[in-house]
């Protein structure tokens, strides 16, 4: 299939290892499907352990030289990389929409978001500071420096295939590390286009490797390798726990951005129109397939009916269509398993007394399309109250007190994102501090930016991506005790 993009060089059906575009050793391939119609977009190499070990060795060798590069040299290459992403934004967005299905406008936004991480960390590479600590003896000086971890394994998801890769590649390269990347099988072409532009920017060969193929085989080779010193993963909590167990064998550094189950709380003193707009943005972005989606919308009983009416009115305006339709607000779900989970959650909610006031069934377009859905009278017995739906389903819960809703919001093993709306300054502080989440959106439904630390607590993971804190996960702290200063 020939994609409708200007720069055809960006669409690559090969893996990228040590600066070379290669096939799998046995020439086997995997089909990549368009979620809109299940047509084959293209095929990528079905790499395994052999190719993975070649990539790891190349990354280890390249990293030795890269860590010695001065900060301005790294910054210059990353800045060129950023500029190339920006100048190819439209083509990159179209590739993303072909393989992931999201509306083109969202895809364009994701590419801009991706570029922002490369830009940010091109600047942070010049700010990897150490310390000189006052000595404890007359002839001693205590010095602290920061050095790159080494070879990094990066495993990325399908819902934001460009942005999640950039959030890892940017800080890793800025810190002086090299990478072996494994994109999701559903969305490999965005990562391969990313690697092509990195090469065009002058990134030395071996520093960035992209492997397509069997996740289990590649993942095991990455976790078993003693050359891989860190693994960074964005995906489900279930898979994250498995990777943590495997990484324990060699005591690797890990960063985990795992599942979420975000509460969205609307207090009685909130600006209701603003809260509705924020909830729509937080719930239906990317067809509800984001780890920071509003999964449980808690509305104070005094404004429940008013909020529900306004929310349904706005959700009804959402247009579901294929991603290249300029009117599309929502695209398809990613695969049959995703559709089945949405249908299961809606059926369960109805069985537990939920009232479907909008949607609630597959879209008339068929395939993997599902209607934007709103469920009133949600309760804590429903699957939607304790499982992440990852689809366009908004359950509306009612609450009566601040203490009650905080307890219900925190009653989950997850702790990634949370949201609440209030006009009370004191409540803003109290609730922000009591919500057991790595991220709190106060009077906003949009929280992602390269300038802030993104990450969760509890079973939503560990580590932070973005901001000045994001580079720390790719650095080791070394203490140097210098003796013999005084005669």
């Amino acid at each position: 299939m020939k994609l409708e993009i200007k720069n055809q060089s960006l669409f690559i059906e090969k893996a990228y290892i040590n600066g070379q575009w290669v096939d799998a050793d046995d020439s086997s391939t995997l089909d990549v499907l368009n979620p809109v119609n299940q047509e084959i977009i293209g095929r990528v190499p079905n790499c395994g352990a052999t190719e993975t070990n070649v990539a790891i060795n190349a990354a280890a060798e390249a990293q030795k030289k890269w860590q010695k590069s001065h900060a301005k040299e790294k910054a210059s290459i990353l800045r060129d990389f950023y500029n190339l992403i920006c100048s190819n934004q439209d083509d990159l967005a179209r590739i993303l929409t072909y393989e992931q299905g999201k509306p083109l406008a969202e895809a364009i936004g994701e590419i801009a978001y991706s570029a922002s991480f490369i830009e940010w960390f091109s600047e942070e590479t010049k700010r990897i500071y150490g310390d000189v600590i006052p000595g404890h003896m007359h002839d001693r000086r205590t010095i602290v420096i920061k050095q790159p971890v080494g070879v990094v394994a990066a495993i990325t998801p399908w819902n934001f295939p460009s942005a999640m890769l950039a959030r890892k590649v940017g800080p890793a390269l800025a810190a002086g590390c090299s990478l072996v990347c494994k994109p999701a099988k559903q969305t490999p072409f965005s990562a391969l286009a990313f690697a092509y532009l990195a090469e065009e920017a002058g990134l030395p060969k071996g520093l960035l490797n992209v492997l397509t193929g069997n996740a289990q085989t590649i993942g095991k080779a990455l976790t078993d390798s003693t050359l891989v010193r860190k693994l960074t993963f964005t995906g489900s909590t279930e898979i994250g726990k498995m990777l943590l167990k495997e990484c324990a064998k060699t005591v690797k550094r890990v960063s985990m951005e795992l599942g979420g189950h975000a509460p969205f709380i609307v207090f009685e003193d909130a600006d209701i129109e603003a809260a509705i707009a924020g909830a729509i943005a937080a719930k239906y972005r990317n067809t509800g397939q984001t780890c920071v989606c509003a999964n449980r919308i808690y509305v104070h009983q005094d404004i429940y009916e008013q909020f529900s009416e306004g929310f349904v009115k706005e959700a009804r305006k959402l247009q579901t269509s294929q991603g290249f339709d300029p009117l599309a607000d929502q695209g398809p779900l990613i695969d049959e398993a995703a559709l089945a989970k949405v249908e299961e959650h809606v059926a369960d909610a109805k069985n537990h007394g939920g009232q479907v006031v909008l949607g609630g069934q597959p879209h008339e377009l068929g395939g993997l399309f599902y209607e934007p859905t709103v469920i009133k009278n949600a309760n804590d017995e429903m699957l939607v109250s304790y499982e992440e739906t990852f689809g366009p389903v908004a359950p509306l819960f009612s609450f009566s007190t601040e203490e009650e809703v905080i307890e219900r919001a925190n009653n989950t093993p997850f702790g990634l994102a949370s949201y609440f709306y209030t006009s009370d300054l004191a409540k803003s502080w109290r609730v922000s501090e009591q919500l057991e989440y790595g991220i709190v959106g106060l009077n906003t439904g949009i929280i992602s930016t390269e300038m802030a630390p993104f990450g969760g607590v509890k079973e939503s993971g560990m580590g932070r991506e973005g901001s000045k804190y994001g580079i720390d996960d790719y650095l080791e702290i070394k203490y140097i005790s210098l003796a013999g200063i005084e005669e």
Side-chain angles (χ1 to χ4, degrees):
M1 178 178 179
K2 186 175 182 179
L3 306 192
E4 293 183 9
I5 57 177
K6 296 175 183 177
N7 185 359
Q8 290 293 327
S9 297
L10 291 169
F11 181 65
I12 305 167
E13 297 180 88
K14 293 182 181 293
Y16 186 62
I17 301 175
N18 198 22
Q20 302 294 319
W21 296 99
V22 301
D23 295 312
D25 276 6
D26 61 3
S27 299
S28 61
T29 61
L30 296 174
D31 295 342
V32 181
L33 307 179
N34 184 337
V36 169
N37 50 26
Q38 300 300 293
E39 290 183 357
I40 296 174
I41 301 169
R43 295 178 174 86
V44 292
N46 185 21
C47 297
T50 299
E51 296 87 348
T52 305
N53 287 319
V54 171
I56 291 170
N57 287 325
E61 193 62 31
Q63 194 271 330
K64 293 176 184 177
K65 297 179 181 178
W66 183 244
Q67 69 175 343
K68 296 177 182 178
S69 302
H70 58 73
K72 284 191 174 183
E73 183 179 352
K74 296 187 187 78
S76 177
I77 291 175
L78 286 171
R79 186 72 192 191
D80 288 345
F81 187 16
Y82 160 75
N83 289 330
L84 283 168
I85 294 172
C86 292
S87 62
N88 287 275
Q89 182 177 14
D90 289 345
D91 280 348
L92 293 171
R94 293 185 72 83
I95 291 171
L96 202 165
T97 292
Y98 272 114
E99 63 180 356
Q100 203 277 338
K102 66 178 60 179
L104 184 59
E106 280 197 26
I108 290 171
E110 180 177 340
I111 300 305
Y113 183 48
S114 305
S116 71
F117 286 100
I118 305 301
E119 180 189 37
W120 176 269
F121 287 107
S122 73
E123 298 161 348
E124 286 299 292
T125 192
K126 294 178 284 187
R127 302 185 181 94
I128 301 174
Y129 303 133
D131 291 290
V132 177
I133 299 173
H136 63 291
M137 297 177 68
H138 289 297
D139 72 333
R140 302 291 173 91
R141 299 295 183 270
T142 300
I143 303 165
V144 175
I145 63 172
K146 295 180 180 180
Q147 294 181 303
V149 168
V151 178
V152 174
I155 301 176
T156 54
W158 52 262
N159 57 341
F160 289 91
S162 179
M164 299 303 97
L165 185 62
R167 281 204 320 209
K168 302 176 189 305
V169 169
L173 292 177
C177 299
S178 58
L179 298 106
V180 179
C181 305
K182 168 64 178 73
K185 65 180 181 179
Q186 297 95 330
T187 54
F189 293 121
S190 290
L192 294 167
F194 204 79
Y196 174 83
L197 292 179
E199 182 180 68
E200 289 290 293
L203 192 71
K205 70 175 186 177
L207 282 178
L208 177 62
N209 304 272
V210 178
L211 297 169
T212 57
N214 186 283
Q216 288 73 29
T217 304
I218 294 173
K220 187 175 189 308
L222 291 171
T223 56
D224 284 351
S225 174
T226 56
L227 291 176
V228 175
R229 305 298 297 273
K230 173 185 172 64
L231 183 140
T232 173
F233 171 72
T234 298
S236 72
T237 297
E238 179 185 11
I239 300 300
K241 289 179 178 180
M242 293 170 58
L243 289 169
L244 280 169
K245 183 178 180 181
E246 291 301 310
C247 287
K249 296 175 182 178
T250 51
V251 196
K252 297 188 196 307
R253 288 274 298 274
V254 294
S255 295
M256 295 277 158
E257 198 261 278
L258 308 178
H261 192 35
F264 190 106
I265 304 168
V266 186
F267 287 101
E268 68 275 21
D269 54 25
D271 180 329
I272 295 179
E273 288 188 6
I276 289 170
I280 291 288
K283 173 68 259 181
Y284 295 109
R285 181 186 179 202
N286 198 27
T287 317
Q289 299 175 116
T290 86
C291 53
V292 296
C293 269
N295 279 282
R296 298 166 290 152
I297 302 177
Y298 296 101
V299 185
H300 192 275
Q301 60 188 14
D302 290 352
I303 60 169
Y304 186 85
E305 291 303 325
Q306 183 182 356
F307 178 92
S308 300
E309 181 180 342
F311 185 84
V312 170
K313 180 181 178 181
E314 293 304 310
R316 197 183 301 277
K317 296 177 183 178
L318 297 172
Q319 297 294 311
T320 301
S321 185
Q322 56 87 11
F324 292 109
D325 182 345
L327 298 179
D329 297 303
Q330 283 202 162
L333 293 163
I334 191 64
D335 55 28
E336 291 288 348
L339 178 62
K341 186 174 186 180
V342 169
E343 292 182 314
E344 177 191 15
H345 277 204
V346 172
D348 174 81
K350 291 165 68 175
N351 289 337
H352 284 90
Q355 179 187 1
V356 177
V357 292
L358 182 68
Q361 58 188 359
H363 197 275
E364 62 183 12
L365 290 171
L368 300 175
F369 290 94
Y370 198 88
E371 295 178 341
T373 298
V374 182
I375 300 172
K376 286 184 64 177
N377 304 325
N379 60 66
D380 294 346
E381 300 301 314
M382 298 174 178
L383 286 174
V384 292
S385 74
Y386 54 88
E387 283 188 8
E388 187 178 25
T389 303
F390 235 60
V393 179
L396 306 183
F397 299 78
S398 176
F399 74 92
S400 58
T401 68
E402 179 181 324
E403 293 75 19
E404 170 208 340
V405 75
I406 290 173
E407 181 179 357
R408 291 169 71 187
N410 288 339
N411 186 26
T412 172
F414 301 104
L416 183 55
S418 58
Y419 309 84
F420 72 99
Y421 275 70
T422 181
S423 59
D424 185 321
L425 179 61
K427 187 182 294 180
S428 296
W429 276 108
R430 285 197 308 270
V431 177
S432 292
E433 292 174 347
Q434 291 180 73
L435 286 172
E436 297 171 353
Y437 294 83
I439 306 167
V440 177
L442 172 54
N443 292 332
T444 180
I446 302 295
I447 54 177
S448 297
T449 169
E450 78 279 9
M451 300 182 207
F454 189 102
V457 298
K458 299 193 287 188
E459 292 188 22
S460 285
M462 59 190 71
R464 294 295 181 268
E465 295 184 315
S467 80
K468 69 175 184 178
Y469 305 103
I471 204 165
D472 289 342
D473 280 335
Y474 298 87
L475 295 167
E476 296 284 12
I477 294 175
K478 179 179 286 186
Y479 150 49
I480 301 170
S481 181
L482 181 58
I485 300 298
E486 296 183 11
E487 295 181 357

